[in-house]
Amino acid sequence: MVKVRVFCISLTQLIYPILVLIRMKGGISLTQFSAMARILSHLGDQLISSSTVAILELIKNAYDAGSPSVKISIDQARRTLVIEDMGSGMSREDIINKYLVIGTTDRLDKKERIKKRINGEQSPESNDKEEDNSVPLGEKGLGRFATMKLGEKLVLFTRSKNQKDGSLLLVNWNKFSYSSKNKLEDVKVRLMKVYANDISNNYRDSFVKIKIYDIKDFCNIGEWNKKRFEDFYKKNFMKYINPFQPSKGFQITLEIHTADQNFYR
């Protein structure tokens, strides 16, 4: 009878001698992951399944920002889509540290604060008193990439609460296309300050206005006629409106400027 002796060895015990040899020869170093600009194409144009899903992500963003309403305007002749809300808006710092950063924990942190308040725990965040207990609808931060699914260029105009000046962000999504060979950190976007005197009186407080150029859908007048847009609204937007009090609560307005110069909402 042959006896077999089994030895148990940890991964550390296995690798440590190898690391010692490498270190003695000066061959060990630290490096890091990097990403190509085309990764945004995976997150936006390919991960988001349709233009409908993309618009719903932007509506969720408006709701999460505490806006009482959201207005969507589509111009078939100019191939533009505008979505605007009167929620909490964004400061320049918010754009740099949140909107332009992939994978932030902002929504997760808010959910955790809400959970603590509901459970009667005192949260240390100073801005807790300014938040309500509405659980964010968006979870993965896909709203910013939804604009890539919808069109080729993005103009984001916004101002946060308690600030006079606003910010204007310009993004050319073509530079992040699937065929791009650039590193993500090598592709720059333009961020500009907009002084209070240059902001229309229509925006009295915080807001976000997103305008998307060269939109990829909704412009074929033979396919997207008045009946199609009405069905589109009923199927996708009515679930966000209180059926018992449709004039109260969160409101969604859809305006269409058709290619043949008609207008309806």
Side-chain angles (χ1 to χ4, degrees):
M1 180 177 180
V2 179
K3 294 184 178 180
V4 179
R5 182 173 295 179
V6 179
F7 294 92
C8 295
I9 184 170
S10 68
L11 185 61
T12 302
Q13 291 173 315
L14 180 64
I15 295 177
Y16 184 74
I18 301 174
L19 292 177
V20 171
L21 289 173
I22 295 176
R23 190 174 301 171
M24 290 175 62
K25 295 181 179 181
I28 192 169
S29 62
L30 297 177
T31 185
Q32 63 187 29
F33 285 102
S34 62
M36 303 299 289
R38 65 198 294 267
I39 195 173
L40 297 193
S41 175
H42 290 281
L43 295 173
D45 193 36
Q46 297 183 41
L47 185 60
I48 298 177
S49 59
S50 66
S51 298
T52 299
V53 173
I55 288 182
L56 292 178
E57 286 294 332
L58 295 173
I59 290 174
K60 290 177 185 179
N61 279 5
Y63 178 86
D64 290 343
S67 179
S69 62
V70 61
K71 177 182 175 183
I72 305 164
S73 302
I74 296 174
D75 190 319
Q76 291 182 321
R78 292 186 172 90
R79 301 188 68 84
T80 60
L81 184 150
V82 177
I83 180 165
E84 50 190 323
D85 67 69
M86 298 299 172
S88 56
M90 288 183 285
S91 65
R92 179 183 178 87
E93 291 71 26
D94 289 332
I95 294 175
I96 294 173
N97 298 321
K98 296 178 182 179
Y99 194 85
L100 294 177
V101 177
I102 302 170
T104 61
T105 61
D106 190 50
R107 281 187 171 85
L108 293 176
D109 293 342
K110 181 178 180 180
K111 289 181 179 181
E112 185 62 27
R113 292 196 297 269
I114 292 172
K115 181 180 178 181
K116 287 181 178 180
R117 287 200 297 272
I118 292 175
N119 292 336
E121 301 175 22
Q122 183 65 36
S123 181
E125 283 79 7
S126 60
N127 64 345
D128 271 8
K129 294 181 180 179
E130 300 179 6
E131 290 183 338
D132 57 28
N133 286 336
S134 300
V135 178
L137 294 179
E139 295 186 31
K140 299 178 177 62
L142 292 180
R144 72 201 84 174
F145 303 120
T147 62
M148 186 181 199
K149 181 69 177 182
L150 292 168
E152 297 183 4
K153 297 180 181 67
L154 163 68
V155 176
L156 185 148
F157 182 30
T158 183
R159 177 173 63 189
S160 64
K161 286 185 176 181
N162 304 319
Q163 289 198 342
K164 295 181 179 180
D165 301 324
S167 298
L168 188 69
L169 176 69
L170 309 178
V171 180
N172 184 349
W173 287 124
N174 290 319
K175 294 182 179 180
F176 303 90
S177 68
Y178 188 75
S179 60
S180 174
K181 299 185 184 302
N182 295 315
K183 287 286 190 72
L184 182 59
E185 62 268 23
D186 293 334
V187 182
K188 307 302 180 183
V189 296
R190 297 180 183 274
L191 179 59
M192 295 171 280
K193 183 175 182 178
V194 181
Y195 291 99
N197 293 337
D198 296 323
I199 299 177
S200 169
N201 292 331
N202 293 331
Y203 303 107
R204 297 184 178 182
D205 198 0
S206 55
F207 66 91
V208 169
K209 180 176 181 179
I210 292 173
K211 188 167 186 177
I212 304 169
Y213 291 85
D214 299 326
I215 59 175
K216 305 171 185 177
D217 204 353
F218 309 116
C219 291
N220 186 333
I221 192 171
E223 179 182 358
W224 286 95
N225 52 31
K226 183 176 181 179
K227 176 69 166 53
R228 176 73 183 275
F229 276 114
E230 288 176 348
D231 293 341
F232 175 77
Y233 185 97
K234 292 176 182 177
K235 180 180 178 180
N236 298 291
F237 299 163
M238 289 300 293
K239 56 188 174 184
Y240 295 102
I241 298 174
N242 188 336
F244 303 104
Q245 294 180 310
S247 62
K248 296 182 179 181
F250 189 65
Q251 300 291 306
I252 302 175
T253 302
L254 176 63
E255 296 182 349
I256 309 298
H257 301 261
T258 67
D260 55 1
Q261 306 302 314
N262 287 321
F263 170 80
Y264 47 84
R265 61 172 55 159

